[in-house]
Structures are given as structure tokens and as C-alpha cells.
């Protein structure tokens, strides 16, 4: 079983829709949770970064972490065609030198 | 801030050639850099963790004699693919951990696409 599960999609939505992206995980030691956006043939770009449970909002993006359910989400409001990319969740235990564990990535297309 | 560059962005070489990829943190110091490879439509696979001034730590299954990593300064790490073969063709991405900004955030370079003929 993978430590982090993420539906690879593809997910296709109309412009303006609210997008919900999710990951589940099995390792309760994860403390830090991140969402990265990766455009085709580019490196991942850090979108959201949260510690432990709770919500974090940044513009049209909201990240939620529910540690009791081992479930994290990324919501995109008023989605735009420029949001079309692959979204990767990533997690870390947070101890010195600990690595990031990535989900498979969800491919999102926002249609104009 | 937090910009990581990679050079070259793409390289095409003949089988048996060694290829060097550079990863630089441009506006911060990175005590730790990571090297990943990514196959089409797949997630990132960590190859090795590179700490400045010490030997890299390789993930299980990654040949350290084939993927040579040098992290000579706080802003530069290099990955050399020795005697590359077609199966080494992939997208190689580095990331750097900001020394001042905490231990967790990793910032990624734009990637290097390697094609071995």
C-alpha cells in the first residue's frame, strides 16, 4: 500500500468551477502538508504549505488538513484555464532531513 | 525569492556518454538538495539527498556509481549520469531546502529532460 494515495484523474471542469483535489495517507507521523502545481515539462511549484490540522487560504486556493481522517484537500475557487496543470500533494514528518512523500498527482484541465 | 535553476534544460546524447546536470539555488543558501526523476505521467521519485560538504544519501535501488552527486557549496549541486543508456532517459528535477526558511519547504528547479539515443 502506498503511503500517500491521490486520484490521478484526469479531471476536467468548466471555467469558474470549484475544484476539489484530495489525498489520503497512512503514516500518522506526517506533520507537514504541501500542494505543488506542475505544468507540463516544468518543475513543481509550491502552492500551499500547512502544518498539522486546519485550513489555510491564499487567494483562490484553500488547503485543508484533517489529521484524524488522514485526509488533505486543496480547493480552487473560480478556476481558470491557467490552472490547468498536475497537482501533487506532498507530506513530511518534519524531522531534520526528512524527505517529502508525494502523491501520484492529479491532472486538471479547466476548459474555457 | 526561493528560485532554483537547472542547467541544461534538455540534453540529447549518445549511449555511453556521461551527462552533468547542475542545480543552483539563486537567492538562498541550501544545505540540502534533492534529486528526483520523473517518468511521463508519473510522480516524482526521489533518487538521492545531497548535503553540502558530505556524501549523498541514495535511495534504495539507485546506483551511486551511475548517478554521481556532488554538493560542493551551499548554492550548487551537480548530478552526473555516468555512461548514460536509453533507459536513463527521463526528466530529472532537483529541489533545494531553504536553510533560513525552515527545514521543510522544498523549492524545485525547472527540470532537465535527458534523452539518450
Amino acid at each position: 500500500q502506498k503511503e500517500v494515495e491521490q486520484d490521478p484523474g484526469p479531471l476536467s471542469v468548466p471555467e469558474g468551477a470549484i475544484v476539489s483535489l484530495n489525498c489520503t495517507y497512512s503514516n500518522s507521523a506526517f506533520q507537514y502538508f504541501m500542494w505543488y502545481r506542475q505544468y507540463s515539462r516544468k518543475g513543481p511549484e509550491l502552492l500551499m504549505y500547512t502544518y498539522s490540522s486546519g485550513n489555510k487560504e491564499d487567494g483562490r486556493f484553500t488547503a485543508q488538513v484533517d489529521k484524524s481522517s488522514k485526509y488533505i484537500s486543496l480547493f480552487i475557487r473560480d478556476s481558470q484555464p491557467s490552472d490547468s496543470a498536475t497537482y501533487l500533494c506532498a507530506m513530511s514528518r518534519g524531522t531534520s532531513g526528512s524527505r517529502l512523500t508525494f502523491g501520484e498527482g492529479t491532472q486538471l484541465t479547466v476548459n474555457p | 525569492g526561493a528560485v532554483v535553476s537547472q542547467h541544461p534544460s534538455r540534453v540529447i546524447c549518445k549511449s555511453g556518454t556521461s551527462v552533468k546536470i547542475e542545480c543552483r539555488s539563486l537567492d538562498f543558501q541550501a544545505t540540502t538538495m534533492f534529486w528526483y526523476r520523473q517518468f511521463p505521467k508519473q510522480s516524482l521519485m526521489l533518487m538521492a539527498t545531497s548535503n553540502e560538504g558530505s556524501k549523498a544519501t541514495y535511495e534504495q535501488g539507485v546506483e551511486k556509481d551511475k548517478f554521481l552527486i556532488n554538493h560542493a557549496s551551499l548554492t550548487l549541486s551537480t548530478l552526473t549520469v555516468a555512461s548514460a543508456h536509453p533507459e536513463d532517459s527521463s526528466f530529472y528535477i532537483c529541489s533545494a531546502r531553504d536553510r533560513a526558511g525552515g527545514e521543510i519547504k522544498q523549492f524545485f528547479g525547472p527540470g532537465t529532460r535527458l534523452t539518450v539515443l
Side-chain angles (χ1 to χ4, degrees):
Chain A
Q1 182 188 4
K2 294 178 184 175
E3 277 192 294
V4 179
E5 298 276 359
Q6 182 177 9
D7 186 341
L11 180 62
S12 181
V13 301
E15 184 174 354
I18 297 175
V19 177
S20 172
L21 303 166
N22 312 292
C23 288
T24 58
Y25 62 96
S26 57
N27 189 342
S28 58
F30 288 138
Q31 298 284 339
Y32 295 85
F33 304 90
M34 285 138 278
W35 286 95
Y36 286 87
R37 176 175 62 194
Q38 186 176 23
Y39 292 111
S40 182
R41 300 171 186 259
K42 301 290 184 185
E45 170 194 7
L46 181 63
L47 274 181
M48 300 291 283
Y49 168 80
T50 53
Y51 169 71
S52 197
S53 286
N55 294 358
K56 186 172 185 178
E57 188 174 319
D58 184 1
R60 296 185 295 111
F61 298 91
T62 300
Q64 286 185 352
V65 175
D66 182 350
K67 290 190 69 181
S68 62
S69 302
K70 298 190 179 68
Y71 187 88
I72 70 170
S73 301
L74 177 71
F75 297 96
I76 307 174
R77 291 184 297 281
D78 187 25
S79 56
Q80 304 294 310
S82 58
D83 295 327
S84 298
T86 296
Y87 290 80
L88 296 143
C89 64
M91 310 179 187
S92 171
R93 287 176 295 146
T95 53
S96 178
S98 65
R99 68 189 65 178
L100 292 181
T101 302
F102 284 89
E104 276 191 61
T106 300
Q107 186 181 345
L108 170 68
T109 301
V110 181
N111 301 299
Chain B
V3 178
V4 177
S5 71
Q6 268 183 256
H7 178 80
S9 58
R10 69 184 311 171
V11 58
I12 301 172
C13 67
K14 292 181 179 178
S15 185
T17 307
S18 291
V19 176
K20 186 188 230 181
I21 302 170
E22 290 187 350
C23 177
R24 294 182 185 271
S25 56
L26 297 185
D27 52 0
F28 65 98
Q29 292 185 326
T31 49
T32 305
M33 289 185 172
F34 303 85
W35 286 95
Y36 296 83
R37 66 189 292 183
Q38 186 177 34
F39 292 105
K41 298 190 184 299
Q42 293 188 24
S43 191
L44 287 78
M45 184 186 79
L46 180 64
M47 298 175 66
T49 301
S50 165
N51 290 297
E52 186 261 340
S54 62
K55 290 183 179 180
T57 302
Y58 290 82
E59 295 300 300
Q60 192 173 9
V62 178
E63 299 176 57
K64 62 181 180 181
D65 294 332
K66 179 158 189 70
F67 298 100
L68 305 164
I69 292 171
N70 184 285
H71 192 161
S73 76
L74 286 172
T75 59
L76 173 65
S77 177
T78 59
L79 168 68
T80 300
V81 183
S83 187
H85 288 94
E87 59 267 27
D88 299 322
S89 298
S90 189
F91 192 49
Y92 291 87
I93 312 174
C94 71
S95 72
R97 180 181 286 157
D98 187 342
R99 183 186 192 187
E103 297 185 16
I104 307 306
K105 291 183 183 178
Q106 287 185 29
F107 300 95
F108 285 82
T112 297
R113 185 160 302 281
L114 170 62
T115 302
V116 185
L117 304 175

